[in-house]
Amino acid sequence: MSRTPTPSWPADHAERYRAAGWWRGETFGQMLRERAAAHPDRVALVDPAAGSRWTYAELDERADRMAAGFAARGIAPGDRVVVQLPNIAEFFEVVFALFRIGALPVFALPAHRESEITYFCAFTEAAAYVIPAEHGGYDYRELAAKVRAEVPGLGAVFVTGGDPGPFEALADLPRDPVPLPGPAPHDLAFLQLSGGSTGVPKLIPRTHDDYLYSVRASNELCGVDEHSVYLCVLPAAHNFPLSSPGTLGALYAGARVVLCPQPSPDVAFPLIEQEGVTLTGVVPPLALVWTEAAAASTYDLSSLDVLLVGGAKFSEEAARRVRPALGCTLQQVFGMAEGLVNYTRLDDPAETIVTTQGRPISPDDEIRVVDDEDHDVPPGTPGHLLTRGPYTIRGYWRAPEHNATAFTADGFYRTGDIVRLTATGHLVVEGRAKDQINRGGEKIAAEEVENHLLAHPAVHDANLVAEADPYLGERTRAYVILRAGAGPLKPAALKAFIRGRGLAAYKVPDRVEFVEQFPQTAIGKISKKDLRAAAVRTAQEPVAGPAGG
Ligand code: OOB
């Protein structure tokens, strides 16, 4: 395995970001300590499913005790720990404990399965893996047993919320706090996952300094202060609910975080009423459901000031419905785990809020919109978005070859998004150049799923493309060529095969279509462009007979 140093900002840029006050030399561990000292009795976390309310003092103390437990099990600064926890208070106890040690959480999602988790544990040479015993009717101990069998080097597996089975319960770790020097502000804080367009997800190295800047600045732009109540609706480990301004923003401000166990209105709306939630963040499909449900709802949603919507393109028509339905300000957010986050401003004209995806957080976010040859396009013309700045990574973790193409020579990240810049400096997302499907905010790398399809003995070739979906925005369609002489294969059987390979459910193709051949470009390469066009053209058609699915 390569031991290339983690790419970082050149010294002159780092100096500039410090001088400008963007990087302030804080760490997340210190941040929590300071908040706990300033207002120990204020409620930091509400976990309605567990019926628990932890004050800042309690969260701080729990993080210290858990850090001691992890340290006693040999977890050291710089170690990677795959964290796969749902929206429960222990997520924060674990993550802040790792921050205190200087160990790096690797933020897996609850939906990930054997294929993804095995890769994260093996690639990061994880010292530990943290799971709930069960969640959403799924037994994570069984998953961990499979992962451990495949990754013999995996250290401990820690379990919360039930019988740990063959593993160790978090609750049984030693709990006497020990002195820990903690990381430096320029050290890595965690590894976030990329949505990706390649066979395996890339890992995104974020530092305390850079991430805290994005969190602090997000608070200002989203009006978060100590009176705010943030409802965490999306999976807590994702960059959007974590930092835009998210749970970490709320904790930074000394505000209250309410953990929503499920995103549906019948769970979220009562929590908004009971806890006086002032802001939350959702993906576009959920925003649609909420605006519809609000009309018939008897819950009092009047505390809600701001609804952040992002992760995928929010249509103008849907955006217009937010204020009338929910009585709050819409704030569009176009962000990426690699860094750059754009927000519409709370005081932007209403038209700007519904028709753009916002503008960058920082005066030091550099934006370029370029053509296929990296030449700047005239203002207002759609092109590829390139960016660099004080909280955008300069390279993925241990991926030098990929970095050579994913970043320009002078350090701009190639986002893979096609955008247009308005006269006011706002960005409008027009499309995507990367080979990724955005399924209602959940990102699917086409190549990853294609590789799994190709593993089926009857499959000769496969391509995954997006087709339009009225609710999700996009869903997936797999075009598959079967091997000559292969017996009949039903779409459902191929989907079951993919599921059986331990892939997160959202990556299983929504529709499988068998074809004789793929359209080709002039030089004989497979034309994904034509496949995408075909998928868009025929999205409404049922697929006929046994080939359909
Ligand atoms: C967020 O982060 P990721 O890393 O899951 O995905 C980033 C990609 C972007 O490159 C873009 O393709 C798409 O998701 N995206 C949007 C969008 N927000 C994200 N496309 C159109 N309109 C939007 N508003 O998705 C993320 C991270 C932080 C905050 C919000 C979202």
Side-chain angles (χ1 to χ4, degrees):
M1 186 152 303
S2 68
R3 282 291 175 284
T4 43
T6 302
S8 187
W9 293 266
D12 58 331
H13 281 79
E15 217 168 280
R16 199 170 91 212
Y17 300 150
R18 282 197 190 95
W22 310 147
W23 296 355
R24 293 199 182 157
E26 299 172 281
T27 67
F28 281 101
Q30 289 163 354
M31 180 275 271
L32 176 60
R33 178 81 81 236
E34 284 166 22
R35 299 304 175 272
H39 38 71
D41 300 329
R42 214 184 269 168
V43 173
L45 285 172
V46 180
D47 181 337
S52 55
R53 302 173 84 81
W54 293 354
T55 63
Y56 275 86
E58 190 171 359
L59 175 59
D60 184 53
E61 193 193 326
R62 279 175 175 271
D64 270 347
R65 291 185 182 279
M66 186 142 299
F70 284 148
R73 292 292 177 268
I75 294 173
D79 281 357
R80 278 76 57 198
V81 175
V82 176
V83 177
Q84 188 181 29
L85 292 175
N87 292 4
I88 56 175
E90 286 79 4
F91 174 90
F92 296 90
E93 186 179 6
V94 165
V95 166
F96 276 97
L98 296 172
F99 287 159
R100 289 246 158 104
I101 294 176
L104 313 182
V106 180
F107 284 124
L109 297 173
H112 288 140
R113 292 292 178 261
E114 193 186 339
S115 170
E116 292 93 355
I117 302 292
T118 299
Y119 174 74
F120 301 146
C121 288
F123 182 67
T124 67
E125 300 168 288
Y129 171 35
V130 185
I131 54 166
E134 278 179 341
H135 173 69
Y138 182 75
D139 190 332
Y140 286 81
R141 292 160 298 195
E142 285 176 15
L143 172 59
K146 288 186 200 159
V147 171
R148 173 164 262 178
E150 285 183 60
V151 189
L154 172 64
V157 175
F158 298 115
V159 184
T160 186
D163 172 6
F167 308 115
E168 185 166 17
L170 277 180
D172 292 344
L173 290 177
R175 301 190 76 78
D176 287 331
V178 290
L180 293 163
H186 59 263
D187 284 339
L188 293 187
F190 55 81
L191 298 175
Q192 188 54 273
L193 310 181
S194 74
S197 55
T198 51
V200 288
K202 296 290 176 283
L203 296 170
I204 296 169
R206 302 290 300 258
T207 65
H208 292 268
D209 260 340
D210 91 77
Y211 209 64
L212 269 162
Y213 170 44
S214 75
V215 162
R216 198 175 59 236
S218 293
N219 275 355
E220 263 172 55
L221 299 177
C222 306
V224 176
D225 62 23
E226 75 268 26
H227 306 295
S228 301
V229 181
Y230 179 81
L231 185 69
C232 180
V233 173
L234 300 173
H238 188 271
N239 199 58
F240 177 13
L242 196 61
S243 68
S244 294
T247 55
L248 293 179
L251 295 174
Y252 189 92
R256 194 192 316 157
V257 171
V258 179
L259 297 164
C260 197
Q262 266 183 52
S264 59
D266 52 323
V267 176
F269 286 6
L271 285 175
I272 293 175
E273 179 179 297
Q274 282 157 30
E275 297 290 339
V277 168
T278 62
L279 84 163
T280 184
V282 297
V283 287
L286 208 51
L288 287 176
V289 171
W290 280 26
T291 45
E292 269 171 39
S297 170
T298 53
Y299 290 103
D300 179 4
L301 306 178
S302 61
S303 61
L304 196 63
D305 291 327
V306 177
L307 182 73
L308 288 124
V309 181
K313 179 78 182 255
F314 197 33
S315 76
E316 188 185 322
E317 308 82 80
R320 285 192 194 284
R321 278 182 243 146
V322 169
R323 181 176 277 288
L326 292 161
C328 64
T329 302
L330 165 67
Q331 187 164 32
Q332 295 215 37
V333 48
F334 162 40
M336 51 206 73
E338 285 81 357
L340 180 71
V341 179
N342 306 274
Y343 294 104
T344 54
R345 303 307 196 246
L346 297 177
D347 58 357
D348 270 343
E351 276 308 293
T352 306
I353 291 176
V354 296
T355 58
T356 80
Q357 279 65 59
R359 58 190 171 85
I361 286 181
S362 176
D364 266 333
D365 280 322
E366 297 172 73
I367 294 290
R368 288 185 62 201
V369 185
V370 301
D371 64 17
D372 290 347
E373 275 74 49
D374 282 357
H375 298 126
D376 293 298
V377 299
T381 311
H384 303 275
L385 172 65
L386 311 183
T387 185
R388 74 181 178 186
Y391 59 97
T392 297
I393 57 164
R394 292 300 187 111
Y396 293 101
W397 194 73
R398 292 189 185 170
E401 279 171 32
H402 183 69
N403 288 339
T405 53
F407 295 80
T408 65
D410 55 354
F412 280 81
Y413 167 56
R414 298 181 188 279
T415 66
D417 293 311
I418 305 289
V419 303
R420 170 169 65 79
L421 203 53
T422 71
T424 52
H426 288 75
L427 295 170
V428 178
V429 180
E430 298 279 3
R432 195 179 322 120
K434 54 192 167 192
D435 200 2
Q436 182 187 83
I437 295 103
N438 191 333
R439 194 175 182 279
E442 290 187 307
K443 316 303 185 310
I444 301 166
E447 188 185 338
E448 184 183 358
V449 179
E450 287 161 4
N451 286 341
H452 284 279
L453 289 164
L454 287 168
H456 192 287
V459 171
H460 169 69
D461 206 353
N463 271 289
L464 193 79
V465 296
E467 64 183 19
D469 182 276
Y471 168 64
L472 292 168
E474 294 176 9
R475 61 178 181 243
T476 52
R477 185 191 295 209
Y479 284 105
V480 174
I481 300 178
L482 290 176
R483 276 187 202 288
L489 182 64
K490 290 212 164 114
L494 189 52
K495 288 190 205 179
F497 171 79
I498 297 294
R499 223 171 278 123
R501 289 179 61 84
L503 211 57
Y506 66 86
K507 296 182 189 170
V508 176
D510 290 299
R511 187 143 130 166
V512 172
E513 192 166 338
F514 296 112
V515 293
E516 298 291 317
Q517 58 185 33
F518 297 135
Q520 295 192 342
T521 64
I523 55 162
K525 288 205 301 186
I526 292 166
S527 172
K528 275 224 162 173
K529 205 171 141 212
D530 288 333
L531 279 174
R532 287 188 194 111
V536 168
R537 247 191 341 265
T538 59
Q540 304 309 324
E541 292 172 11
V543 178

